[in-house]
Amino acid sequence: MTSPDHPLPPDPLGLIVRLIHRDASVLILNKPAGLPVHKGPGGGENLSDHLSALRFGLPRDPELAHRLDKDTAGCLVLGRHRRALERLGKLFKANQVDKTYWAVVEGGPAIDEGEIDLAMSPRDPKRGWWMKVDPKGQPALTRYRVLGQAGGRTWLALEPVTGRTHQLRLHCQASGFPILGDTIYGTAPRHGGPGLHLMARAISLPYDPKRPPIRAEAPPPDHMRVALAACGWTGGDPS
């Protein structure tokens, strides 16, 4: 219940309706594509500046437990208090969080299921997010599975075993099937392209050892739906 003395905080980005999980410790948000999670060097709209809308009565804003690229939509985990953030940080650092991404790629792998094991490092130390394959870099492992194909494109489920910056985007490009709409590692133009066809589809968090994992699933963003449907997606989750 709110009153004129205790109004709800503003929610100009409509974050409340994008929540797909909420409990006393953890929030999982369906992040929209095109929204950075942090303020960049040039400023501009970003998620972190609007997290007060998700306090739900607590004295502090929730905080990000991990990050998604600006153009990647889907499941984003937030901790509601310091103890939750510490627990989530340990889970992500230990690679105990199961994450499944969906992507539509140009071309596709030669086999329907496998692993991409390519170490990575920054291409330019001044631009740490811009990555390259580097045998001397940090180990990076991605599991993939083909979910559908059509018209020279493939719908993939991607599971990043490690969590390197731009891992899925670089691994797909380096394997010969760049993600549709990727302006950095793919063939998309810098402006006016189809949008990055990559989303964080599902996540599983073993937050409390005495309870089942927290599981959440995000619907595909609008800009991915046509390509997914062409590859066989019918609105549900494939077996």
Side-chain angles (χ1 to χ4, degrees), residues 5-171:
D5 294 330
H6 298 87
L8 286 172
D11 185 20
L13 301 185
L15 299 180
I16 291 175
V17 298
R18 299 189 70 89
L19 284 175
I20 48 182
H21 174 83
R22 171 185 164 189
D23 62 32
S25 299
V26 176
L27 302 175
I28 303 179
L29 181 72
N30 176 22
K31 186 190 90 67
L35 179 67
V37 295
H38 295 298
K39 185 177 294 184
E45 194 84 273
N46 67 92
L47 177 63
S48 295
D49 284 348
H50 294 276
L51 293 180
S52 60
L54 302 178
R55 282 188 182 186
F56 299 111
L58 294 189
R60 298 167 58 97
D61 294 353
E63 295 184 36
L64 300 166
H66 64 130
R67 64 181 297 276
L68 292 177
D69 292 345
K70 171 186 173 182
D71 294 321
T72 303
C75 296
L76 182 67
V77 180
L78 300 96
R80 300 192 65 193
H81 47 74
R82 184 167 286 117
R83 187 166 49 189
L85 286 163
E86 290 174 357
R87 172 64 176 155
L88 291 167
K90 289 177 181 178
L91 291 174
F92 277 99
K93 187 174 182 179
N95 293 325
Q96 293 180 327
V97 179
D98 291 330
K99 296 168 282 185
T100 300
Y101 289 72
W102 280 2
V104 178
V105 300
E106 301 175 38
I111 56 176
D112 286 348
E113 193 167 350
E115 294 183 344
I116 304 169
D117 187 358
L118 295 170
M120 303 167 54
S121 68
R123 184 179 295 272
D124 182 345
K126 296 179 181 178
R127 300 168 68 184
W129 52 267
W130 192 22
M131 307 300 286
K132 65 179 179 180
V133 172
D134 180 358
K136 297 180 181 179
Q138 291 183 306
L141 178 64
T142 301
R143 298 191 179 107
Y144 72 84
R145 181 164 58 99
V146 172
L147 300 179
Q149 291 179 303
R153 294 173 178 170
T154 303
W155 166 26
L156 295 177
L158 300 168
E159 297 180 6
V161 180
T162 50
R164 310 300 180 201
T165 299
H166 287 186
Q167 176 177 318
L168 300 181
R169 297 168 70 174
L170 179 63
H171 272 183

